[in-house]
Amino acid sequence: MIKTLFQKLLAKSGKSYSIDSDIPDSLILLTLYKRGMMLIRGYLKTGSKVYFERHCTVYNRKNISFGKNVTIEHHTKLDGYAKHKIILGDGVKIGAYSNLLSTSHFSKFGVGLKMGNNSAVGDFTHFGAPGGIEIGDNVIMGSYVSFHSENHNFSDLNKLIREQGVTSKGIIIGNNVWVGAKVTFLDGCVVGNHSVVAAGAVVNGVFPDYSVIGGIPAKIIKKIE
């Protein structure tokens, strides 16, 4: 009975997978309780149907657009101070201890983050979004992934590096991409649709659709055919 009810709730939220028959009812009940508390907390924080765990911080809430059934796990910080609206699409999930940094310095107002429907990132994700980050739909990522969407200038020998400002091109991740744990995305990189990024890769370049990439720096390992 409990599994049947939970399966219907999953279907309503757009989830198509079937519950493993070995999952105990007690785990389902615990999950329903936790989700209920998260929904109450999210509504109090945002006035929307958003699921927030404890100890989350939101700055400049009015500049953040939450889609339906967004989940923000515990100890996550969201910086809404950006030129463009921060967009978290339907079904987005951000793992625990993650940090969205939209503006890093008063000398440059940041661009921010756009994250598509049903995309999720694992625990300890760092969104360095001053130069802009765009993540497509149905993107799944492991833990300890980091985005760095700006570079420090360093060519002037008469100035300290920290005084030479930054350049930004932004980062773009396509639709239906799987990103392994501990991947680093550098400014200007583009990962095409239907691609896979191997764990530990450092991505700095433009990669076409249907690519499997990995390494330091990342290179195309093979094409998905």
Side-chain angles (χ1 to χ4, degrees):
M1 175 67 76
I2 293 174
K3 286 188 177 69
T4 301
L5 173 61
F6 193 56
Q7 192 74 68
K8 290 180 179 178
L9 291 173
L10 287 174
K12 281 189 175 182
S13 65
K15 307 295 184 182
S16 59
Y17 66 87
S18 297
I19 301 171
D20 189 327
S21 60
D22 290 332
I23 297 292
D25 289 347
S26 58
L27 178 56
I28 293 176
L29 290 172
L30 175 61
T31 300
L32 288 171
Y33 170 76
K34 289 174 63 178
R35 294 290 286 178
M37 295 302 295
M38 290 170 68
L39 182 57
I40 293 171
R41 194 176 295 113
Y43 187 81
L44 292 174
K45 271 186 179 293
T46 69
S48 304
K49 187 183 177 183
V50 182
Y51 296 85
F52 268 83
E53 283 197 290
R54 294 182 178 181
H55 306 298
C56 293
T57 305
V58 180
Y59 301 107
N60 199 24
R61 160 68 185 90
K62 65 183 180 180
N63 197 47
I64 303 177
S65 174
F66 293 96
K68 298 177 182 177
N69 298 313
V70 170
T71 298
I72 310 296
E73 294 190 338
H74 58 89
H75 292 87
T76 290
K77 295 181 180 179
L78 301 177
D79 167 16
Y81 285 101
K83 290 181 182 179
H84 305 299
K85 187 173 284 291
I86 307 298
I87 297 176
L88 303 179
D90 296 346
V92 161
K93 179 181 177 182
I94 297 179
Y97 296 98
S98 295
N99 183 40
L100 164 61
L101 176 64
S102 295
T103 294
S104 61
H105 197 275
F106 281 176
S107 63
K108 179 178 177 290
F109 198 36
V111 176
L113 169 70
K114 180 179 180 181
M115 195 166 172
N117 297 334
N118 301 311
S119 290
V121 298
D123 299 346
F124 296 97
T125 295
H126 175 74
F127 297 100
I133 302 169
E134 293 186 23
I135 298 171
D137 299 332
N138 301 299
V139 175
I140 53 175
M141 299 191 188
S143 300
Y144 294 97
V145 173
S146 62
F147 298 82
H148 306 274
S149 61
E150 63 181 10
N151 278 317
H152 285 276
N153 300 320
F154 56 86
S155 59
D156 190 340
L157 300 180
N158 297 314
K159 289 185 178 180
L160 298 171
I161 292 175
R162 65 180 176 82
E163 295 175 341
Q164 294 185 45
V166 296
T167 57
S168 299
K169 297 178 181 178
I171 295 171
I172 299 175
I173 311 297
N175 301 313
N176 188 34
V177 176
W178 173 25
V179 178
K182 298 183 179 179
V183 170
T184 301
F185 293 101
L186 301 180
D187 185 47
C189 74
V190 177
V191 177
N193 302 320
H194 315 289
S195 294
V196 175
V197 184
V202 177
V203 185
N204 183 20
V206 178
F207 297 91
D209 297 351
Y210 300 100
S211 296
V212 178
I213 66 176
I216 304 175
K219 297 179 181 178
I220 295 178
I221 298 171
K222 65 177 184 178
K223 298 293 289 182
I224 301 173
E225 298 177 338

